[in-house]
Amino acid sequence: MPEIKTKKTDLISIADITSDWLQELLSLTKNIKSNPHLKSDALSGKSIALIFAKPSLRTRVSFEVGINQLGGQPVTIKMDEISVGTRENVEDIANVLSRYVSGIVIRTFEHKQVEELGKYSLVPVINGLSDEEHPCQIISDLFTITEIFKDLNGLKLTYVGDGNNVAHSLLLGCALANINISIATPKNYEPSEEFILTARKLNPKIKIEITNDAHAAAKNAHILYTDVWASMGQEKEAEKRKKDFAPYQINNELVSHADKNAVVLHCLPAHKEQEISASVFDKYSKFIYRQAENRLHAQKAILLKLICEK
Ligand code: CP
Ligand code: NVA
């Protein structure tokens, strides 16, 4: 009998959701945060697979705890245990896992692998970070930003550092949330053109600035955001990157160019005295740790929307 694929929504890129959907997620996140027991049996009898090809503290623990709090069971799998591509191809893994679990979260290198999993899986697939995007992080960060600023209209977010997965998802996320975004990177580390174009298409009204001038980018920013200079998988480039990125540290001098009420965010893990000075980290750590906490609340909202509301 031919396979009947039920309608499902994946979260592989922020571009998979609409701004209305984002608003629903943010308001559900708010309800969940104020009532951690809300929907505590929503995933009762359901298991969610979590596949990790890279290390993780926040994503893995917040998903495992969130799934437990919703009454479900997380099944965590290290990618090398299933040896994608050598022991078995993505199509077979997707088809088999879909028969055991109600959702799949995957953290891997190649974004294409996440897309392929989404293509063959019968259950929703959530990108827990790929080389191109980190949607769960940015949805949760947008929630943190709404907690801090209430009104997002007219806000300017400045990302300083590598034009990486986090920068890409921020571009798309800011477009959906109507936040102006400025990205400052060294030459040759700019975000991919594809993400800039998609963000412009998603929201032609916001200002998008891509520059090599960190000071110009920081000017009047309400949010300064940074991430590691060498992402997971780029460890061999770390020494070269330290030199190339040295003028792109978020330190007190750079913060002085931002709005006087600006906050500094970091997705973590942080390398203090590299992308962020220790003193700036300490000054804004209450926001940065809140940002990490909100991963739990926002991902519970994502699970509820994708897996429980079909
Ligand atoms: N920010 C984030 O995704 O952290 P982990 O790599 O520890 O999951
Ligand atoms: N850009 C970083 C994000 C870590 C959460 C990485 O991919 O390693």
Side-chain angles (χ1 to χ4, degrees):
M1 229 169 54
E3 192 70 63
I4 298 169
K5 207 163 169 169
T6 51
K7 198 169 167 300
K8 54 142 187 159
T9 307
D10 297 319
L11 178 60
I12 292 173
S13 163
I14 299 250
D16 289 340
I17 63 172
T18 60
S19 53
D20 286 348
W21 231 79
L22 175 67
Q23 292 313 321
E24 284 175 35
L25 272 177
L26 299 181
S27 96
L28 185 54
T29 303
K30 188 175 176 204
N31 287 343
I32 288 168
K33 187 169 179 178
S34 58
N35 180 5
H37 301 293
L38 195 75
K39 312 256 184 201
S40 59
D41 59 0
L43 291 179
S44 173
K46 292 188 162 82
S47 299
I48 310 292
L50 306 170
I51 306 174
F52 282 86
K54 291 175 174 175
S56 171
L57 170 68
R58 281 146 290 273
T59 307
R60 175 174 169 176
V61 178
S62 55
F63 263 115
E64 287 191 359
V65 170
I67 292 162
N68 270 309
Q69 289 182 358
L70 294 172
Q73 188 198 13
V75 179
T76 301
I77 307 158
K78 291 264 190 71
M79 187 75 109
D80 57 7
E81 290 165 353
I82 50 176
S83 306
V84 180
T86 48
R87 188 167 186 267
E88 212 159 356
N89 67 24
V90 176
E91 180 174 353
D92 290 347
I93 291 172
N95 270 292
V96 173
L97 265 184
S98 301
R99 286 163 166 81
Y100 303 143
V101 301
S102 303
I104 304 172
V105 179
I106 179 167
R107 166 169 291 196
T108 190
F109 292 86
E110 276 179 73
H111 189 74
K112 262 203 217 124
Q113 204 168 64
V114 189
E115 289 177 332
E116 216 186 332
L117 194 64
K119 177 176 163 195
Y120 292 113
S121 167
L122 308 170
V123 297
V125 169
I126 299 172
N127 181 359
L129 179 146
S130 66
D131 283 348
E132 286 188 22
E133 274 209 61
H134 198 1
C136 297
Q137 176 72 55
I138 274 44
I139 289 171
S140 155
D141 293 343
L142 290 169
F143 174 72
T144 305
I145 292 169
T146 58
E147 276 191 320
I148 300 169
F149 290 97
K150 316 284 185 264
D151 183 9
L152 305 188
N153 273 326
L155 284 186
K156 174 182 177 183
L157 181 147
T158 293
Y159 173 92
V160 182
D162 187 21
N164 60 15
N165 42 12
V166 168
H168 291 158
S169 293
L170 271 173
L171 264 169
L172 303 180
C174 284
L176 286 189
N178 217 23
I179 297 175
N180 300 311
I181 178 165
S182 185
I183 296 190
T185 72
K187 272 203 163 50
N188 303 321
Y189 292 100
E190 292 88 356
S192 301
E193 195 62 29
E194 176 199 338
F195 287 92
I196 303 168
L197 292 174
T198 309
R200 288 216 163 98
K201 222 187 273 172
L202 282 173
N203 188 344
K205 287 196 199 129
I206 58 158
K207 282 189 209 128
I208 298 178
E209 176 189 44
I210 311 292
T211 173
N212 302 122
D213 184 341
H215 286 100
K219 199 165 182 297
N220 300 328
H222 302 97
I223 303 131
L224 286 172
Y225 194 122
T226 190
D227 180 20
V228 291
W229 290 338
S231 285
M232 292 178 275
Q234 297 173 329
E235 290 77 7
K236 284 197 184 124
E237 296 172 29
E239 284 313 306
K240 177 179 178 346
R241 282 171 173 261
K242 259 189 221 172
K243 292 191 192 99
D244 293 346
F245 283 85
Y248 294 83
Q249 182 187 74
I250 297 194
N251 50 33
N252 285 310
E253 198 279 322
L254 194 71
V255 174
S256 73
H257 294 265
D259 185 82
K260 65 176 190 331
N261 296 318
V263 297
V264 177
L265 297 181
H266 192 310
C267 56
L268 299 177
H271 293 138
K272 293 168 203 176
E273 300 304 354
Q274 291 188 37
E275 73 275 2
I276 188 164
S277 69
S279 95
V280 167
F281 188 94
D282 289 346
K283 188 166 170 205
Y284 295 95
S285 60
K286 71 169 185 185
F287 296 108
I288 295 170
Y289 293 142
R290 196 206 287 193
Q291 201 186 344
E293 179 194 325
N294 285 338
R295 294 291 304 277
L296 170 66
H297 311 302
Q299 284 160 195
K300 282 171 74 180
I302 291 169
L303 289 165
L304 286 170
K305 292 281 299 167
L306 293 184
I307 292 162
C308 305
E309 274 180 29
K310 278 189 203 146

